[in-house]
Structures are given as C-alpha cells and as structure tokens.
C-alpha cells in the first residue's frame, strides 16, 4: 500500500511540471598549446661572413604568457630567456624574438618554448662553413715623437677575405726598446668596416702593433710594427707640507711659512726660489708677498706681517726640465690685538754727578729721583735705571751700568771716572710706566 502511494505521488509531480535535474560539473578548460619554434634564417645559421641576427617565432593558445629559453653549446645550466614580442591573432598569440650570433657562438644550441603547463624543445646549429683569411692593414701609431706620458693614436683595419671584418676583438701590443716580447696594452673592437683605433699613453720608446687572435671562423693575423720615440719630457714638482703659522694670529704679528719643494725622481731640490702669495678673504686675487730659496733638503722658510684674514700658498715657477707647482692653500685668521694697558708717565729729577772735578781713576757719584704720575700727584717709583756717559768731544752716549731706585724713588750709584764728559740717568719704562731721561751733568776728570 505504501509503495503504491509513492508511485502515485511521483506521477502527480511529473504531471505538475518539468523534472529539474542537478547540474553536472563544468567541462575542464582546454590545456595550453605551444607550437614548434621557427627560426629564420633556417638552421644551420652560417656566421662565416660575420654576425647574423636570427628571428625566433612560435604561437600559443590558452595562455597569455610564454617564454623561450636558449642554451649555448655545452651549457648544462638553465637556458637564458629571450625577449619576446606578443601579437594576438584570434585565440592564438604569436611570439617573436631575435638574437645575434657570430663565430664565437659556433656549435649546437638548444631551445625550449614554455606556455603554461605546455612546452616544446629542439636544437639548431651555428656554423662556420669556411675559415676566413684575415689581414691587418693601414696600421699606424701616431705621432712618431712624443713626450713621456702623452697620448698617441693607434689605428688600423682588419680584413677578412679582402673585406672589412667587423665586431672582432683586436689586441694592441707594445715591445719596449731593448726587450724581445710584446705585451698587450689595450683591446678594441672593430667597426662595421673592420676599422679600429684607440688612444694610449706612450711611456717609453718602442714598437706598437695590432694582433687578431684566430677564431673558429677566421685565421689570426698580425700587423706590421710601428715605432714611437718617447722623449723624457718635463719632470713634475710639488710643494709638500706647506704651513702658515701661527693660526690665529694678532694683527701686526709675524707669520712664518714653511714647506719643501720636491721634484719627481729627485726628492728635495736645493737652490730653487719659492714665492709666497696671499689672497684676502672675499677676494679672488692672489698677491705676491715674499719668497725664499730652498735649502739643501728642498725646505724653505719665509715670514711676513699679518694684516688681515685670508689664504696663503707657496708657488714654484719651475725651471728647465721641471714643471712648476702650487701648494695647497692654508687659511689664517687674523684677530685685532687687545689694546695695551694704560701706562703712567714718569720723570727723572734732581740728577747730580759729583765731585767735580774728580781725580782720574777715582769714583764719581750720581744721585737723582725717579717719580711716577699717580693721577696728578708725583710719587716716588721703584724701577731699573741705566747710567749713560758721553765722553767730551763725542756725540755718542754709552751705557755704563744699571741701578735701582728705592721705594721712594731715590737713586744712587758710583763708578770710576777715567775721562771728562757728561753723565745722565735713563729709565726705559716697564709694563706700568713710560720711560724718561734725566738732564745731563758734566764732570771734569783731572790727572
């Protein structure tokens, strides 16, 4: 009874509408497709006559990404990807890339095209069908006479089977006078017509030539040699250790300048004049100040009065066979000196030389008083006072001795008298007081 009920219910449902079935899983997306790679020009790629640019083309479907890897002969590593340009063509994408091959690339290459989970690989060959005969022509090293260290131009042209051979490496070699072997100085690459040139420095006399090493595509060749004579040229000089001191310095004080003149291969050079120049701060002009002649070891010493802040340097003008040079500049700051402390005036009074006359060889005695101006009042002052004598008939005062005044300024001293003449006291002054000179007193000496 129950079974009949279920069948009836199903019949009612079918009669009421269409039976709806559960959807099935969507059909899986198609796998990516990659075509075989086409190469133009078709392999083998012949590089006998020079470099050849090959074009690689393939197409993919079901993916927007692709990669083409190229692996050189004998290389077991992962191939190097080639730069590709895509072009859409309906469901397909066409890919194009190029690469240049020359005689250094001879051998069997591998390619691998990858697109999504799909890939395709293959090989192609780069070949040389004929080994070329080469020749280096028009070789020249110019000029033929130069100073040591000057640039010369080395040039020529590489031919292969009579035609310009471009993109090839040529070595520029040199053999010094007195030697047997050539050594490589530089390497250049030939242009499209096989020409090459380079600038090199000539440091010694000798012969230059160009050499092309044999490759799988071409035989090696060597140019004729060309001689270049190198003169010694001028030696370089330099001023080492230049120093202006002290720094800073007060205006009006003396500056000293030291350093050493050195010449290439000789060390310190004596007997050469070195000049000292100055450029004030904010100025662009160097002005000559003083000079000195170098000593035995090439050292010099000079001095000048400091007037304003600025740069100092030493200059050597050079001489026959030696180039001149200029030292590094040295900055010196010049300060205004502090004003000197105020000093007081002094006076020497009551000078007396006695007895008069005095017998020759006996003592003459001298008295006086040293005073200082103490804000308008003259006070006795202790100081060092010199005694001077001027012989009768002479115009020159001569120093005799020094004595000291006591605390009240009083002076007394004595000396033996030998000649008639005038006497006087002289106070030279000190850090607190200006100096002064007494009046003179004549003493006759009798025999």
């Amino acid at each position: 009874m129950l079974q009949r009920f279920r069948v009836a219910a199903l019949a009612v449902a079918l009669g009421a509408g269409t039976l709806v079935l559960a959807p099935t899983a969507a059909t899986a997306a198609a796998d990516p497709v990659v075509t075989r790679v086409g190469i133009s020009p078709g392999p083998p790629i012949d590089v006998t006559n020079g470099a050849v640019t090959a074009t690689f083309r393939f197409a993919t479907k079901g993916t927007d990404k692709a990669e083409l890897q190229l692996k050189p002969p004998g290389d077991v590593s992962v191939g190097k990807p080639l730069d590709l340009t895509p072009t859409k063509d309906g469901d397909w994408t066409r890919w194009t890339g190029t690469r240049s091959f020359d005689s250094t690339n001879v051998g069997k290459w591998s390619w691998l095209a990858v697109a999504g989970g799909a890939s395709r690989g293959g090989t192609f060959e780069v070949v040389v069908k004929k080994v070329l005969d080469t020749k280096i022509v028009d070789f020249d090293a110019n000029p033929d006479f130069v100073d040591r260290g000057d640039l010369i131009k080395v040039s020529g042209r590489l031919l292969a089977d009579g035609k310009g051979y471009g993109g090839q490496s040529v070595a520029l070699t040199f053999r010094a006078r007195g030697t047997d072997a050539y050594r490589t100085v530089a390497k250049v690459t030939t242009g499209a017509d096989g020409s090459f040139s380079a600038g090199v420095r000539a440091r010694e006399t000798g012969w230059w030539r160009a050499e092309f090493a044999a490759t799988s595509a071409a035989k090696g060749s060597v140019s004729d040699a060309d001689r270049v004579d190198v003169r010694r040229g001028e030696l370089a000089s330099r001023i080492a250790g230049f120093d202006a001191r002290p720094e800073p310095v007060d205006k009006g004080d003396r500056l000293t300048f030291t350093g050493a003149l050195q010449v290439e291969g000789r060390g310190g050079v004596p007997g050469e004049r070195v000049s000292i120049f100055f450029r004030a701060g904010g100025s662009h002009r160097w002005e000559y100040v003083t000079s000195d002649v170098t000593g035995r070891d090439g050292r010099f010493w000079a001095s000048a009065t400091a007037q304003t802040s600025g740069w100092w340097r030493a200059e050597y003008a050079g001489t026959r066979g030696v180039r001149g040079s200029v030292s590094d500049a040295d900055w010196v700051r010049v300060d205004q000196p502090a004003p000197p402390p105020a000093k007081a005036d002094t006076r020497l009074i009551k000078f007396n030389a006695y007895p008069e006359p005095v017998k020759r060889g006996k003592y003459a005695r001298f008295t006086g008083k040293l005073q200082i101006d103490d804000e308008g009042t003259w006070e006795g002052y202790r100081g060092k006072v010199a005694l001077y004598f001027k012989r009768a008939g002479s115009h020159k005062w001569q120093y005799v001795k020094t004595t000291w005044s006591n605390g009240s300024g009083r002076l007394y001293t004595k000396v033996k008298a030998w000649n008639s003449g005038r006497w006087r006291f002289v106070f030279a002054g000190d850090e607190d007081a200006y100096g002064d000179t007494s009046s003179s007193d004549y003493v006759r000496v009798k025999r």
Side-chain angles (χ1 to χ4, degrees):
M1 184 66 179
L2 180 59
Q3 184 67 27
R4 287 198 303 269
F5 176 76
R6 290 178 177 171
V7 172
L10 178 58
V12 172
L14 290 173
T18 304
L19 177 63
V20 179
L21 300 177
T24 62
T27 304
D31 290 335
V33 177
V34 58
T35 67
R36 182 176 181 81
V37 174
I39 305 174
S40 177
I45 299 172
D46 184 6
V47 295
T48 299
N49 295 318
V52 173
T53 299
T55 302
F56 298 81
R57 296 184 179 90
F58 66 100
T60 61
K61 185 178 181 182
T63 180
D64 291 331
K65 295 182 179 180
E67 186 176 274
L68 177 62
Q69 301 175 3
L70 299 182
K71 186 182 297 184
D75 193 340
V76 297
S77 62
V78 176
K80 182 178 180 180
L82 194 67
D83 290 336
L84 299 173
T85 301
T87 304
K88 292 293 292 183
D89 185 5
D91 294 336
W92 291 87
T93 301
R94 303 191 182 280
W95 304 87
T96 305
T98 60
R99 189 194 191 283
S100 181
F101 298 90
D102 58 26
S103 59
T104 63
N105 305 131
V106 170
K108 181 177 286 188
W109 287 67
S110 300
W111 59 264
L112 177 65
V114 180
S119 64
R120 179 170 290 189
T123 62
F124 64 94
E125 283 193 277
V126 178
V127 299
V128 173
K129 294 183 178 180
K130 175 190 174 184
V131 177
L132 302 172
D133 289 322
T134 65
K135 185 178 182 180
I136 298 176
V137 298
D138 301 330
F139 179 77
D140 184 39
N142 187 56
D144 296 331
F145 296 91
V146 295
D147 288 334
R148 184 175 63 180
D150 284 354
L151 279 173
I152 63 171
K153 181 181 180 181
V154 182
S155 60
R157 189 177 180 215
L158 176 64
L159 303 179
D161 284 352
K163 299 179 181 179
Y165 197 17
Q168 305 302 308
S169 177
V170 174
L172 305 179
T173 61
F174 173 74
R175 177 173 69 84
R177 180 176 55 186
T179 65
D180 298 324
Y182 279 87
R183 57 182 175 84
T184 298
V185 176
K187 289 188 177 182
V188 294
T189 300
T190 59
D193 63 348
S195 62
F196 61 87
S197 67
V200 294
R201 294 202 178 274
R203 303 198 179 277
E204 52 188 327
T205 297
W207 290 264
W208 293 86
R209 73 183 187 187
E211 301 178 13
F212 172 64
T215 68
S216 57
K219 298 176 183 178
S221 55
V222 178
S223 73
D224 294 333
D226 192 12
R227 173 169 168 152
V228 174
D229 286 276
V230 177
R231 299 182 290 261
R232 185 183 71 175
E234 290 186 330
L235 299 175
S237 70
R238 75 182 188 114
I239 296 174
F242 177 72
D243 186 30
R245 62 181 184 272
E247 200 287 313
V249 63
D250 285 341
K251 181 178 181 179
D253 286 354
R254 298 294 288 180
L255 282 168
T256 60
F257 313 100
T258 57
L261 174 64
Q262 299 174 347
V263 172
E264 177 185 5
R266 298 183 185 176
V269 179
E272 297 293 330
R273 183 165 295 280
V274 175
S275 299
I276 307 299
F277 284 78
F278 173 72
R279 176 167 65 85
S283 172
H284 299 284
R285 181 181 177 184
W286 287 95
E287 297 181 350
Y288 170 82
V289 177
T290 185
S291 66
D292 186 36
V293 175
T294 57
R296 185 174 58 184
D297 56 356
R299 299 198 64 81
F300 58 87
W301 183 97
S303 68
T305 301
Q307 296 294 342
T308 186
S309 298
W311 298 95
W312 295 87
R313 75 182 186 190
E315 296 186 13
Y316 170 57
T319 187
R320 183 177 180 181
V322 181
R323 292 193 296 272
S325 56
V326 178
S327 73
D328 293 335
D330 192 10
W331 171 268
V332 175
R333 189 182 84 234
V334 176
D335 296 330
Q336 288 292 335
K343 292 186 178 183
D345 290 331
T346 60
R347 66 182 184 180
L348 281 166
I349 61 174
K350 298 182 179 180
F351 177 70
N352 184 33
Y354 65 92
E356 201 286 312
V358 63
K359 190 174 182 179
R360 189 171 189 270
K362 297 297 182 178
Y363 280 103
R365 291 171 169 78
F366 310 92
T367 60
K369 193 169 186 178
L370 175 63
Q371 293 182 324
I372 188 170
D373 183 3
D374 185 10
E375 297 182 353
T377 302
W378 291 100
E379 303 286 347
Y381 187 66
R382 177 174 172 77
K384 184 169 68 173
V385 177
L387 178 65
Y388 280 80
F389 172 69
K390 183 171 71 172
R391 185 174 178 176
S394 173
H395 298 285
K396 183 178 180 181
W397 288 93
Q398 295 179 329
Y399 168 80
V400 178
K401 66 181 296 188
T402 298
T403 186
W404 283 82
S405 60
N406 62 19
S408 61
R410 295 187 180 279
L411 288 159
Y412 170 80
T413 190
K414 64 179 182 177
V415 295
K416 289 184 178 181
W418 300 99
N419 295 289
S420 299
R422 289 192 168 275
W423 298 84
R424 71 181 183 185
F425 279 141
V426 176
F427 174 54
D430 56 24
E431 61 181 7
D432 297 320
Y434 294 111
D436 190 37
T437 301
S438 73
S439 60
S440 63
D441 194 7
Y442 186 86
V443 174
R444 183 170 65 87
V445 175
K446 64 180 182 179
R447 298 184 179 275

